[in-house]
Amino acid sequence: LKTKDIVGAEALVRMVDENNQLISPIEFIPIAEDSGLIVPLGNQVLLKACTQAAKWLEQGMPISVSVNVAAAQFADPDLEQIIIDWLNQTQLPPHYLELEITETALMGDINETQTKLSVLKGLGINISIDDFGTGYSSLSYLKKFNVDIMKIDMSFVIDMLNNTHDY
């Protein structure tokens, strides 16, 4: 805050309709999930985020980019290789990429999740748990997963200054 430097960004998916009006992700993400298009969509977002972060780095602006990873995308056995390919193609150092994975997406096969997170962390990628508290909400799960950041769901903090139960 003191230097007012930009240190990070988040890649967000947006769509426009035929009238050039924004379509809310609340509308199109469930359709992408139901149709099976969420994995290719997520892979394209990863590529675009890596491409942009690499451009910024080349311009002397080292900005890490965080990308939301859908549960189906996280479960994809090719995810690690896809990320490796995108990092190699864009020449982005891995520590400029952060994957935001929802707590629910992590709760499949715990051993498989731990292995996948270890591989991704081993590449140098940062991992955050997104929307913590909306699923299993157990702090004990955090000990099982090698993550860098835990983003607490807004529902836990939105009213904290006005609700005496939140003190």
Side-chain angles (χ1 to χ4, degrees):
L1 288 175
K2 283 183 181 180
T3 65
K4 297 181 182 170
D5 289 339
I6 297 172
V7 296
E10 181 173 358
L12 300 174
V13 177
R14 297 295 180 256
M15 287 183 65
V16 293
D17 65 16
E18 63 278 355
N19 298 318
N20 214 26
Q21 299 296 309
L22 280 177
I23 301 171
S24 170
I26 292 171
E27 293 179 45
F28 69 82
I29 294 294
I31 294 169
E33 290 173 333
D34 291 345
S35 67
L37 293 174
I38 195 70
V39 173
L41 174 63
N43 291 341
Q44 284 301 304
V45 172
L46 273 167
L47 174 58
K48 289 187 180 294
C50 290
T51 300
Q52 184 60 58
K55 283 181 185 175
W56 284 329
L57 186 59
E58 189 177 291
Q59 295 168 354
M61 298 182 296
I63 299 172
S64 79
V65 178
S66 100
V67 179
N68 291 297
V69 176
Q73 187 180 11
F74 185 73
D76 183 353
D78 297 327
L79 178 65
E80 298 97 308
Q81 189 59 53
I82 289 166
I83 291 172
I84 290 167
D85 292 345
W86 290 163
L87 290 172
N88 288 334
Q89 181 178 322
T90 61
Q91 296 297 298
L92 180 69
H95 64 275
Y96 288 108
L97 178 62
E98 177 182 317
L99 302 180
E100 293 188 14
I101 305 165
T102 62
E103 173 189 4
T104 306
L106 297 173
M107 294 305 145
D109 180 326
I110 299 297
N111 292 329
E112 189 176 311
T113 297
Q114 288 172 320
T115 300
K116 186 170 281 201
L117 289 175
S118 292
V119 168
L120 294 168
K121 291 285 297 163
L123 294 172
I125 296 168
N126 294 305
I127 306 289
S128 69
I129 296 179
D130 197 17
D131 296 333
F132 181 80
T134 59
Y136 292 86
S137 305
S138 174
L139 290 172
S140 67
Y141 280 109
L142 294 180
K143 294 173 75 173
K144 296 180 188 302
F145 303 127
N146 185 12
V147 298
D148 301 293
I149 299 166
M150 179 181 65
K151 295 173 71 176
I152 298 171
D153 185 68
M154 180 175 56
S155 65
F156 283 94
V157 294
I158 195 164
D159 200 30
M160 67 187 232
L161 297 177
N162 302 320
N163 186 335
T164 58
H165 292 100
D166 290 341
Y167 294 139

